[in-house]
Amino acid sequence: QVQLVESGGGLVQAGGSLRLSCAASGRTFSIYKMGWFRQAPGKEREFVGRIFWSGGGTAYTDSVKGRFTISRDNAKNTVYLQMNSLKPEDTAIYYCAAAGIGAYDDWGQGTQVTVSS
C-alpha cells in the first residue's frame, strides 16, 4: 500500500497560481503512475492529469492543457501539480492517486482549491 498526503491548496483569485504537492510513502517501489483528480461540489470526480513515475511522461485533460503542469521529484517521492491561470471552474477538492500497472488503488485525503472571480 502507498500512503499519499496532498498539500498546497487554498484560496486564490482568478488568474492566479497554486502548486499542489503529493508526498508518497510506503510501497513506493510499486508505483507505475501518479494521477491528479478533482471533484467539484455536486459533480463527479474527474481526471486532471497523470505522470509516469519512472519515465515522467505526462497527460492532461483538455480543460487544463497549457495551464497545469505535473512534475515529480523521485528522490523526495513527491509529485507536484502546478496550476496557472486559474479559473473559478477549477474550484474543487484535488486528490492525488497512485497506480501500479492497473487502476488507481491508493488515494490521498484531498486538498481544497478555491478560485474566486
Side-chain angles (χ1 to χ4, degrees):
Q1 189 176 9
V2 177
Q3 291 78 45
L4 303 170
V5 178
E6 302 100 334
S7 61
L11 173 65
V12 64
Q13 288 189 329
S17 298
L18 280 175
R19 189 178 80 156
L20 306 184
S21 299
C22 175
S25 60
R27 296 172 60 90
T28 56
F29 60 86
S30 67
I31 299 174
Y32 176 64
K33 61 183 178 183
M34 294 282 290
W36 284 98
F37 296 78
R38 65 186 180 185
Q39 188 166 20
K43 294 189 176 181
E44 300 268 326
R45 184 173 60 197
E46 68 168 343
F47 171 79
V48 174
R50 65 97 175 110
I51 186 166
F52 290 123
W53 192 247
S54 293
T58 55
Y60 303 92
T61 193
D62 286 347
S63 62
V64 307
K65 283 181 181 176
R67 300 188 299 124
F68 290 12
T69 303
I70 298 175
S71 61
R72 88 248 189 261
D73 184 334
N74 291 88
K76 295 182 179 180
N77 288 333
T78 299
V79 172
Y80 304 97
L81 178 65
Q82 177 67 44
M83 306 184 293
N84 298 327
S85 302
L86 282 161
K87 304 175 181 180
E89 51 263 44
D90 294 317
T91 294
I93 300 174
Y94 283 71
Y95 300 89
C96 65
I101 299 299
Y104 290 97
D105 288 328
D106 298 300
W107 293 80
Q109 82 288 352
T111 185
Q112 176 71 48
V113 171
T114 303
V115 184
S116 63
S117 57

